[in-house]
Amino acid sequence: HLLLFLLFVGPFNCFASYSRATELFYSLNEGLPAGVLIGSLARDLRLPTVGGQNPASLQPPLSFTLASHGLGVQYVHLDNRSGELHTSAVEIDREALCVESSGATIFGGSAAVSSSSSSPESCLLLLDVLVLPQEYFRLVKVKIAIRDVNDNAPRFPVPHIRLLVPENAPVNTRLAIEHAALDPDMGTNGVQTYRLRDNYGVFTLDVEENENGERTPYLIVMGPLDRETQDEYVTVIVAEDGGTPPLVGSATLTIGISDINDNCPQFNDSQLNVTLYGNSSLGTHVATVHAVDMDLGSNAQITYSYSQKVPQPSRDLFHLNESTGAITLSTKVDGDTPRLHRLIILGNGPGCIPAVITVLVTIIKVMMRPPEVVPRFIANEVEGVVYLKELEPINTPVAFFTIKDPDEKYKVSCYLDGDGPFRLSPYKPYNNEYLLETTKPLDFETQQLYEISVVAWNSEGFHVKKVVKIQVLDDNDNSPVFSEQLIELSIEENNVPNAFLTKLHATDADSGERGQVSYFLGPDAPSYFALDKTTGVLTVSTQLDREEKEKYRYTVKAVDSGFPPRESIATVTITVLDKNDNSPRFINKDFSFFVPENFPGFGEIGVISVTDADAGQNGWVALSVLNGSDIFVIDTGKGVLRAKVSLDREQQSSYVLWIEAVDGGDPALSSTAKITILLLDINDNPPLVLFPQSNMSYLLVLPSTLPGSPITEVYAVDKDTGMNAVIAYSIIGRRGPRPESFRIDPKTGNITLEESLMQNDYGLYRLLVKVSDHGYPEPLHSTVMVNLFVNDTVSNESYIESLLRKEPDISVEEKQPQISIEPTHKKMESASCMPTLVALSIISLSSIALVTGMGIYICLRKGKKHHGADENLEVQIPLNGRINLHMLEKKPMEISNI
């Protein structure tokens, strides 16, 4: 009936095992180190464990296999035996793994990464896991949700943001700042707020969120603006996320105030009084009016014109330059010319009421004509201004002056009035010619403008002064000068891209374009450093890694815009400061050590080598044993692994340890390595005889047994492995009527009958069997007594027992048994479920009749269960022998028995 039940139930169990599929859901934070437990599949699937079961009913061990070979597999490690799922050495970066904006799934083989912006758990790592053997077969769909952590600071797309605000912008005007900060993190870990470090009391920030969740900062005007008071505000805009603790990013915000035409021209004075001699020559400068408009550009353009109240004769006598406001004498003054002229001049600006100034010109009638001073300029002269280049040599001529009396009645003399490197000397052989020349080189950087006068006076004391303005022209004679020739900087590694390093500053004493300084990197500067040619701001475009390079040294140039240009060079040194950004690294992920058993306690098993690329305290590494610390200990400084006690392979053949390396950083970083310790066998166990169980047991051998027939066997096992467990059997002592009638197979231990038994061969045979291993250097052995009683029947058991109690007189004949290279252990081969299913399915119907017949046959045999027992009888009588045998717990073995 049991067989019939198995025939029907077995196939359905196999079908059921193939139909099971399960989903497991886990979640973990991004950025976790290797070895963090994600979940135990065996526990969460409630699969039976094999530990502690009866050896006779052991099931094949569970096996867990990743059926995935795509993107997701690199982030996890699955223990094939325990089913524990851990993080791998490849760190999970949620922002790189799941693109929030795509909402797509990126497949790689059977593994996938799924992303969607619908929820914080939307970044999924999908794995397929197969559970074997077939009794527990199932396909497990594992979903791992990657939780976001606040590991990214907000970052503005540009380091400098410029915004223009009209100066007439009313209070509460809102202007969008287009360059909003970006944060790869999601939810509250993304950008939440903005603020200004300095709002100057007239600005604030507000944040608006659109339907897509994007936050845009707005600049709000909180007070009146006046470009003429302050035309620019420079502050820092700070973006802050909602993480704990919050991370911030910043950029420079320049708020420019654009001009509007809110100012009109104004004269500093309302009236200007001027005196003009009646003998003044044409073109004589009378006066210059100047109005000021605080606006910029076209809003500040001023033109000058006469008021309609100015009579035409005055307009004809005095010319007004509408651009410069200069008033000059345009016609000769004669006896009919009025002596007082009121010139009302208007300063006109766009869209403005004209400003008004009155110029009163009084003409003084001259009875005697003054001396005349007639210049003839050698140097370049424009509108009374002489232009000389700096660095002109000494004695450079400026102008000739002719001094004369128009009436030719009086003697005229002259001299030079004013400070400067000039002299006025008579030019021989002429009497009334004078030469104006330089006495030393001019320097623009020392003084740019000289105003000197050539004064002529006659013998009557009448003076005439001719003013000469000399403008020194700048030459490119100065090189830029750095404020520091050696610029020493430092920056922490892992800086944000485009990080600010410093602002270089060089000055050039020259003017105009010749004094404009541009900045350039030297040819020895790495490509990832950038230098703004205008501002001199030095930045680094990439993250620096101290472990890759700790110091940088290169040159920078400051070049002016002169022709030819002049330059100067400074040296920049940058020291990259260490951060604890490198976990300790083992030279191998897995270490394996082979140790002989009975290895002495605190002996050196091996050295675990670990390095940390960081410096100082960040690079100091401490080692510890995570598991098995009651047996093993590790030297933190040297990495030497030791066992506290002697190790016995027969108790445990291998050990798996996890070693953790922790550096001295704050926060500390760590890594783990797997250590496998395999114990090498030593021949420290003699063979253990399992059958026969006693030296006092015996076996009845019928005289009719044919030669070559197996009689019994000696079965032994050895706890050692390899050649230490290879067993050979030999008979080293015999006693009986014809003891050579039996032989033993040295490999199997089977005892067979060699010759036919005669009438005289009846009686008790005692065979002393030696069971020896092939250990090195010294094989170990055990002995057992095999008792065979040759007779037709056992009629007197007490007689046989008395013979067994007597000390056998057996001479030992030591023979070297034939070496066997096959260990006595036999492996159990597990049957495949599928072939069993097919076979049982084919014969299930035909077996019904067979089972029914077997049931009838068994019922008929119940009354005859003792019949034929005398034909083959093994009697074992447990008596007290000198050999104390212990049973060895082992897996079921196939044993041939009579």
Side-chain angles (χ1 to χ4, degrees), residues 78 112 212 320 419 587 592 610 638 656 701:
L78 177 64
N212 297 326
L320 174 63
D419 296 328
I587 61 172
S592 296
V610 62
K638 299 180 179 179
V656 176
V701 180

Side-chain angles (χ1 to χ4, degrees), residues 129 168 264 330 517 546 548 585 599 623 773 811:
V129 179
N168 63 342
C264 289
S330 60
V517 180
R546 188 205 64 83
E548 181 179 338
R585 177 174 294 181
F599 191 68
L623 297 174
D773 61 25
S811 60

Side-chain angles (χ1 to χ4, degrees), residues 695-816:
N695 287 341
M696 304 299 292
S697 63
Y698 66 92
L699 179 69
L700 177 65
V701 180
L702 299 178
S704 60
T705 303
L706 297 177
S709 299
I711 303 302
T712 186
E713 71 172 345
V714 176
Y715 181 74
V717 296
D718 196 313
K719 292 183 179 181
D720 295 319
T721 61
M723 294 301 294
N724 294 334
V726 175
I727 298 176
Y729 302 87
S730 61
I731 299 176
I732 61 173
R734 305 168 184 264
R735 184 179 180 186
R738 191 153 56 96
E740 64 274 7
S741 300
F742 300 95
R743 69 175 294 274
I744 190 167
D745 189 304
K747 293 183 179 181
T748 64
N750 289 335
I751 298 176
T752 57
L753 180 63
E754 287 291 291
E755 302 174 356
S756 300
L757 297 174
M758 304 300 180
Q759 186 69 31
N760 296 332
D761 297 335
Y762 286 33
L764 180 65
Y765 290 78
R766 309 196 74 177
L767 306 177
L768 181 59
V769 177
K770 178 181 179 182
V771 183
S772 176
D773 61 25
H774 288 76
Y776 179 84
E778 184 69 29
L780 302 179
H781 70 273
S782 301
T783 58
V784 66
M785 189 70 73
V786 178
N787 302 304
L788 304 175
F789 185 64
V790 178
N791 202 0
D792 292 325
T793 183
V794 181
S795 58
N796 190 351
E797 293 185 0
S798 60
Y799 169 70
I800 298 174
E801 292 175 1
S802 65
L803 293 177
L804 294 174
R805 290 191 188 96
K806 295 179 180 180
E807 185 70 28
D809 184 13
I810 298 176
S811 60
V812 177
E813 47 181 46
E814 184 64 39
K815 275 187 178 182
Q816 186 67 25

Side-chain angles (χ1 to χ4, degrees), residues 631-652:
I631 301 178
F632 297 95
V633 66
I634 191 167
D635 187 331
T636 296
K638 299 180 179 179
V640 177
L641 182 65
R642 307 176 188 273
K644 298 179 183 178
V645 297
S646 180
L647 304 177
D648 186 358
R649 191 202 64 81
E650 285 71 40
Q651 293 184 4
Q652 187 168 342

Side-chain angles (χ1 to χ4, degrees), residues 33 132 135 178 189 260 270 301 323 373 398 482 488 586 641 656 728 741 827 886 891:
L132 296 173
E135 290 88 335
E178 299 298 334
N189 291 334
I260 64 169
S270 60
Q301 289 183 354
S323 298
V373 178
V398 177
F482 280 100
E488 297 179 320
F586 292 91
L641 182 65
V656 176
S741 300
K827 297 180 179 179
H886 301 278
K891 294 183 179 180

Side-chain angles (χ1 to χ4, degrees), residues 569-618:
I569 296 176
T571 301
V572 175
T573 63
I574 300 174
T575 302
V576 183
L577 305 178
D578 185 51
K579 290 182 68 175
N580 192 28
D581 60 340
N582 289 277
S583 301
R585 177 174 294 181
F586 292 91
I587 61 172
N588 297 314
K589 288 186 177 180
D590 298 326
F591 292 84
S592 296
F593 298 106
F594 295 87
V595 181
E597 65 173 330
N598 303 327
F599 191 68
F602 291 97
E604 182 178 321
I605 294 175
V607 177
I608 311 300
S609 297
V610 62
T611 60
D612 194 310
D614 292 321
Q617 186 72 15
N618 294 334

Side-chain angles (χ1 to χ4, degrees), residues 373-377 399-402 466 468:
V373 178
V374 180
R376 298 192 303 277
F377 293 100
F400 278 115
F401 288 90
T402 301
K466 180 63 178 181
V468 179

